Amino acid sequence: MQHFQETIRSAAASQLPLRIRGSGSKDFYGARLEGDVLDTRSYRGIVEYEPTELVFTARAGTPLREVEAALTEKGQMLPFEPPYFGPDATFGGCIASGLSGPRRACLGATRDFVLGVRSLNTSGDDLQFGGQVMKNVAGYDVSRLLTGSFGTLGLIVEVSTKVLPIPDDEQTLRLEMNEKQAIETMNRYAGQPLPLSATCFVENSLYIRFSGAASAVSAARKQLGGETIDGKAFWQSVREQTHPFFSNSGTLWRLSMKSTTAPLMLGPTLIEWNGSLRWISVDADLENMQSAASKAGGYATLFRAQTRPKAIQYLSPTMLALHKRIKRALDPEGIFGPHRLHDEF
Amino acid sequence: MYDEEELKPFECDGLSAYRKLPLAVALPESEDQIRAVLKICHEGRVPVVFRGAGTGLSGGALPYEHGLLLGLSKLKRILEIDPVARMARVQPGVRNAAISEAVAQHGLYYAPDPSSQIACSIGGNVAENSGGVHCLKYGLTVNNIMKVRFVTIDGELLEIGSEGLDAPGYDLLALITGSEGLLGVVTEITVKLLPSPVKARVVLAAFDDVGKAGQAVADIIAARIIPAGLEMMDKKATGAVEQFIGAGYPLDAEAILLCESDGSEEEVESEISRITEVLRATGATQIRVSRDEAERLKLWAGRKSAFPAVGRILPDYFCLDGTIPRKQLANVLKRIGQMQDTFNLQCANVFHAGDGNLHPLVMFDANDDDQLHRAEQYGAAILELCVEVGGTITGEHGVGIEKINQMCVQYRTPELTTFHSIKHAFDEHGLLNPGKAVPTLQRCAEFGAMHVHRGEEKFPELPRF
Ligand SMILES: Cc1cc2nc3c(=O)[nH]c(=O)nc-3n(C[C@H](O)[C@H](O)[C@H](O)COP(=O)(O)OP(=O)(O)OC[C@H]3O[C@@H](n4cnc5c(N)ncnc54)[C@H](O)[C@@H]3O)c2cc1C
């Protein structure tokens, strides 16, 4: 901690940017990577874990696989199935990137399970927001603001998340259909009281995962028909983007939008989250992708590209102005990951 | 409105021990009017307090005597229901329960269900990040909204969130949820709807010891069960409820638990049998499982009317809202009980046990100044106890005016400074809901001077008088 504080204070004094980094598994994401690396990996370890509290607390540099192993041992899990995107991904990086996996639409995102964050600000002050309890509305929700901020608002040093029991049973089935039918089907099932835990459409197949009590999973499985497949490998490939769909080395767009939006016809597509997340592999510019997404109530992110883009997301002028004010409020010296998320802050 | 008589109905919210008249009240009918009113206030530097249904329990909607009270009660239309995409777009004055009523025909509902749901507004829910008896499984307001339209004090309109499951940039939706009307006004909300469960059953378990009931809560979670609701009431609370509506609670029990399971037929049957097994093993003296929907609703009706029931014993009560790690339940309850003698007041306990969210109800008569004073001290002592055991002063009711001093106990200067910086980013001149939710460092220094916490001197860097 002291080392972090000194590094931050000297960076602030000399106005030199810092690039907060775990293993670098998410380095591909973002507009620019500026500044000296502040490596979080030396600050590691589980701080507190009592399974009956459903709360898990660890230091930012703890490898995500150690976190998941500790939880698995007690029959629990991180409900948001975070992607690693690299073998040594850290817990802090997982929270700071805020990325969530296949279970997101059914159980919630990283931000939904973050209970508290301990962080260092530009002055090196040790801050504690939220805590280890399920509900806390004292003060603004800074823990969630830091979640997904990609190290641009402060250094996350310790995080508490809510965890959940691993479901007793899980089954995945595959149904053959086209994209339009798949979107309709996902939305129809999501509107029914079924033990859904993930959906994905790719290459004319709709994959549906059920999780929960064995009796409920089999009942749902029977109701829907289709072919049962080995779900583990499939969902892992979607979560880690190792599925052949992602092997195209071109540009990968991530469009988040209203789940019922009809096929966008913009390029090869993989759909998750009951229709509200569309991965599209196509060389296009942000303006065009944003316009397609915003017509559907959403937005586009340039997720992976061959060359570093100038911007990965579009913010309206009023939103941009507010983002700049918030960035200035939390990082007045502007030293934390400048321009990682946007050209202008 | 500015005549005293017209202002009178707005003088307090659910925390009725505190009352004030605003300079004027405005009840706009559209977002454009709200923007116009805020622009005028911004230019004239007039403070503004927003008000939904006024059911808040922390004084968040208590008027500011030199400011405007802006009520949202006329904006109560449900603008759009999209059953296929499972969302509804509503105005801020819509009652919480009205959303579930309107979408029930599609087999959907809006999950957060505060006990005040027949009265409280969805805008107020967003401002407080309200929870309900089902939030252990389904989350709080922040987990169940997708997008809001939000107007800042300069009249600027922002769209925060999206119709997808996330939004570009920072998570501003989380930041404004629970911001207690300090950052801006919510003028439209898009909420997420869930499919109504096929079935729900509730188990009532009685215990001859509060500690055992607390242990049962931990044991249920340890058995890998996340019930749809897990509530606890002590003897004083069940006694009050029985007199008030007769929910059928056993009167000889020291504490009761209500534990609900919902889902498909299969899920509910298997979960209920596992729950009863755990409860029996923890030593429940009586276990009853609801046989039909009428019985289930009756058991919940008791819980949901606990506050008004207690309100009939003595004219006033403070409903506290501390949240603690579950393992501290028995210890904290015991200490709250002991404090009854210290302050010579009665306290009933009702709470969201699954979340560790306590609602001690400190009963008093506000016409008696001494009782009011003792009740305030009792409440403060309970909140400080919650912080001491690793919890928070408020789980869902907000800080408002009521817990402003205890913010100085929970947070230190650097966190409070962060809060003030965020406030400044939205409301440079501090015009929105002044004096609430986040105390000034000066106030904390004054409070700290009277009140040395755990022997540490707080805010040593600030001058004292
Ligand atoms: C009997 C009873 C039971 C309760 N049970 C619960 C419970 O189970 N769970 C729970 O969480 N709460 C509960 N509450 C507390 C209360 O009902 C909630 O806090 C509710 O969300 C307040 O909504 P309201 O519309 O009444 O808001 P108000 O009381 O009018 O306002 C609350 C705060 O929100 C601000 N505000 C209101 N509308 C807006 C808006 N549109 N934009 C910006 N700011 C706004 C106000 O300025 C104020 O700070 C209970 C209250 C009572 C009286």
Side-chain angles (χ1 to χ4, degrees), chain B residues 50 52-56 60 114-116 121 124-125 127-128 130-131 180 186 396-397:
Chain B
F50 304 117
T55 69
S115 303
S116 51
S121 75
N125 292 173
E128 299 287 9
S130 300
E180 302 193 29
V186 178
E396 58 179 16
H397 294 168

Side-chain angles (χ1 to χ4, degrees), chain A residues 19-237:
Chain A
R19 186 177 142 203
I20 302 168
R21 190 172 186 260
S23 76
S25 61
K26 281 101 182 162
D27 271 357
F28 68 86
Y29 186 98
R32 282 192 263 158
L33 298 177
E34 291 176 6
D36 290 344
V37 170
L38 189 162
D39 191 328
T40 61
R41 284 176 296 179
S42 54
Y43 196 70
R44 58 190 283 177
I46 294 168
V47 177
E48 208 174 331
Y49 175 36
E50 266 183 76
T52 58
E53 292 290 315
L54 297 178
V55 178
F56 177 89
T57 306
R59 290 175 170 180
T62 315
L64 194 50
R65 72 182 123 72
E66 273 177 30
V67 170
E68 291 209 303
L71 291 168
T72 310
E73 202 190 315
K74 301 288 179 193
Q76 297 188 333
M77 63 175 185
L78 293 174
F80 43 95
E81 265 184 316
Y84 284 58
F85 295 145
D88 302 320
T90 61
F91 187 47
C94 151
I95 304 300
S97 66
L99 299 170
S100 311
R103 227 178 280 274
R104 192 274 173 253
C106 306
L107 278 186
T110 312
R111 56 90 90 171
D112 291 302
F113 291 92
V114 168
L115 299 175
V117 168
R118 182 173 167 200
S119 65
L120 297 181
N121 66 11
T122 345
S123 319
D125 296 327
D126 185 354
L127 309 172
Q128 175 69 55
F129 296 102
Q132 297 187 315
V133 290
M134 293 292 146
K135 299 156 97 176
N136 181 6
V137 294
Y140 306 120
D141 197 343
V142 180
S143 319
R144 288 198 168 92
L145 182 64
L146 291 172
T147 306
S149 67
F150 276 92
T152 64
L153 295 178
L155 171 65
I156 295 174
V157 289
E158 197 177 296
V159 182
S160 296
T161 59
K162 178 175 175 180
V163 295
L164 288 179
I166 296 172
D168 288 338
D169 191 20
E170 235 163 39
Q171 286 191 36
T172 298
L173 58 92
R174 189 180 76 89
L175 298 161
E176 223 159 281
M177 60 181 74
N178 64 30
E179 186 178 343
K180 181 166 177 290
Q181 291 165 325
I183 294 168
E184 286 165 6
T185 310
M186 287 175 177
N187 278 285
R188 186 165 69 248
Y189 290 148
Q192 292 174 14
L194 291 166
L196 267 192
S197 73
T199 54
C200 177
F201 168 82
V202 62
E203 286 157 3
N204 285 318
S205 294
L206 171 62
Y207 296 83
I208 299 179
R209 182 174 67 187
F210 294 115
S211 304
S215 54
V217 169
S218 333
R221 172 74 199 75
K222 239 176 258 149
Q223 186 188 331
L224 264 69
E227 166 206 358
T228 306
I229 65 148
D230 168 21
K232 265 218 159 67
F234 175 77
W235 295 110
Q236 180 68 8
S237 75

Side-chain angles (χ1 to χ4, degrees), chain A residues 48 50 52-54 75 104-105 111-112 125-130 133-142 144-145 149 152-153 162 164-166 168 187 190-193 195 213 215-216 219 254 256-260 273-274 276 297 299 313-315 318-319 322-323 325-327 329-330 341 345, chain B residues 82 84-86 128-129 135-136 140 142-143 156 158-159 162-172 174-175 179 182-183 195-196 198 218 221-222 224 226 264 266-267 323-327 352 355 357 390-396 398-399 407 410-412 414-415 418-419 421-423 425-426:
Chain A
E48 208 174 331
E50 266 183 76
T52 58
E53 292 290 315
L54 297 178
R104 192 274 173 253
R111 56 90 90 171
D112 291 302
D125 296 327
D126 185 354
L127 309 172
Q128 175 69 55
F129 296 102
V133 290
M134 293 292 146
K135 299 156 97 176
N136 181 6
V137 294
Y140 306 120
D141 197 343
V142 180
R144 288 198 168 92
L145 182 64
S149 67
T152 64
L153 295 178
K162 178 175 175 180
L164 288 179
I166 296 172
D168 288 338
N187 278 285
Q192 292 174 14
S215 54
R254 178 190 188 277
S256 182
M257 57 180 62
K258 190 165 177 173
S259 63
T260 48
W273 300 359
N274 301 333
S276 69
Y299 72 100
Q313 287 171 346
Y314 168 81
L315 291 173
T318 42
M319 277 302 245
L322 180 60
H323 273 75
R325 291 201 301 275
I326 289 173
K327 168 78 174 157
L330 272 79
L341 295 179
F345 61 85
Chain B
D82 187 336
V84 187
R86 306 167 311 283
E128 299 287 9
N129 191 17
C135 65
L136 175 60
L140 304 156
V142 70
N143 312 111
E156 195 86 67
L158 299 166
E159 289 202 15
S162 84
E163 290 178 22
L165 293 177
D166 41 35
Y170 299 134
D171 195 341
L172 301 185
L175 184 62
S179 64
L182 266 79
L183 302 181
S196 311
V198 179
I221 308 278
R224 301 155 49 77
I226 306 294
S264 65
E266 297 86 5
E267 279 172 305
T323 303
I324 56 171
R326 266 185 295 264
K327 63 181 172 211
H352 309 302
D355 298 312
N357 185 192
T392 171
I393 57 172
T394 174
E396 58 179 16
V399 174
M407 281 292 280
Q410 182 159 343
Y411 292 106
R412 296 159 305 151
E415 287 101 3
T418 307
F419 293 148
S421 310
I422 291 172
K423 166 78 168 169
F426 282 83

Side-chain angles (χ1 to χ4, degrees), chain B residues 94-154:
Chain B
V94 169
R95 287 178 306 112
N96 170 297
I99 302 176
S100 289
E101 283 158 20
V103 302
Q105 54 178 313
H106 304 292
L108 300 168
Y109 76 115
Y110 173 64
D113 57 341
S115 303
S116 51
Q117 69 185 141
I118 51 167
C120 66
S121 75
I122 184 74
N125 292 173
V126 174
E128 299 287 9
N129 191 17
S130 300
V133 298
H134 289 97
C135 65
L136 175 60
K137 185 166 171 186
Y138 297 104
L140 304 156
T141 304
V142 70
N143 312 111
N144 287 279
I145 58 174
M146 309 179 73
K147 183 178 166 183
V148 298
R149 285 166 73 90
F150 192 72
V151 178
T152 45
I153 180 68
D154 50 5

Side-chain angles (χ1 to χ4, degrees), chain B residues 108-340:
Chain B
L108 300 168
Y109 76 115
Y110 173 64
D113 57 341
S115 303
S116 51
Q117 69 185 141
I118 51 167
C120 66
S121 75
I122 184 74
N125 292 173
V126 174
E128 299 287 9
N129 191 17
S130 300
V133 298
H134 289 97
C135 65
L136 175 60
K137 185 166 171 186
Y138 297 104
L140 304 156
T141 304
V142 70
N143 312 111
N144 287 279
I145 58 174
M146 309 179 73
K147 183 178 166 183
V148 298
R149 285 166 73 90
F150 192 72
V151 178
T152 45
I153 180 68
D154 50 5
E156 195 86 67
L157 173 68
L158 299 166
E159 289 202 15
I160 297 179
S162 84
E163 290 178 22
L165 293 177
D166 41 35
Y170 299 134
D171 195 341
L172 301 185
L173 193 59
L175 184 62
I176 64 105
T177 306
S179 64
E180 302 193 29
L182 266 79
L183 302 181
V185 59
V186 178
T187 56
E188 192 181 295
I189 304 104
T190 303
V191 300
K192 190 164 99 183
L193 304 172
L194 297 182
S196 311
V198 179
K199 191 160 185 185
R201 292 182 81 187
V202 65
V203 184
L204 173 127
F207 292 88
D208 56 12
D209 175 67
V210 175
K212 281 188 202 161
Q215 188 56 45
V217 172
D219 291 350
I220 288 171
I221 308 278
R224 301 155 49 77
I225 302 167
I226 306 294
L230 183 51
E231 299 284 309
M232 185 160 156
M233 292 165 82
D234 72 0
K235 198 171 188 172
K236 280 217 179 66
T238 50
V241 165
E242 278 310 298
Q243 274 181 35
F244 187 52
I245 65 157
Y249 297 157
L251 286 172
D252 52 348
E254 286 302 314
I256 64 156
L257 282 185
L258 289 173
C259 183
E260 180 149 287
S261 171
D262 70 6
S264 65
E265 292 277 348
E266 297 86 5
E267 279 172 305
V268 174
E269 288 325 307
S270 89
E271 203 165 87
I272 288 283
S273 72
R274 286 165 62 209
I275 291 169
T276 34
E277 213 173 286
V278 174
L279 291 170
R280 204 160 286 132
T282 341
T285 52
Q286 188 190 332
I287 295 175
R288 218 168 88 201
V289 184
S290 64
R291 279 153 303 190
D292 51 32
E293 196 56 12
E295 188 177 6
R296 184 180 82 87
L297 293 176
K298 190 171 162 197
L299 287 172
W300 278 119
R303 166 61 187 88
K304 294 206 172 187
S305 66
F307 295 179
V310 166
R312 298 216 317 177
I313 300 178
L314 272 179
D316 300 280
Y317 63 83
F318 282 137
C319 169
L320 297 141
D321 180 39
T323 303
I324 56 171
R326 266 185 295 264
K327 63 181 172 211
Q328 294 283 355
L329 275 179
N331 168 33
V332 168
L333 282 178
K334 203 169 93 206
R335 287 174 64 185
I336 291 176
Q338 289 163 350
M339 286 189 229
Q340 295 188 106

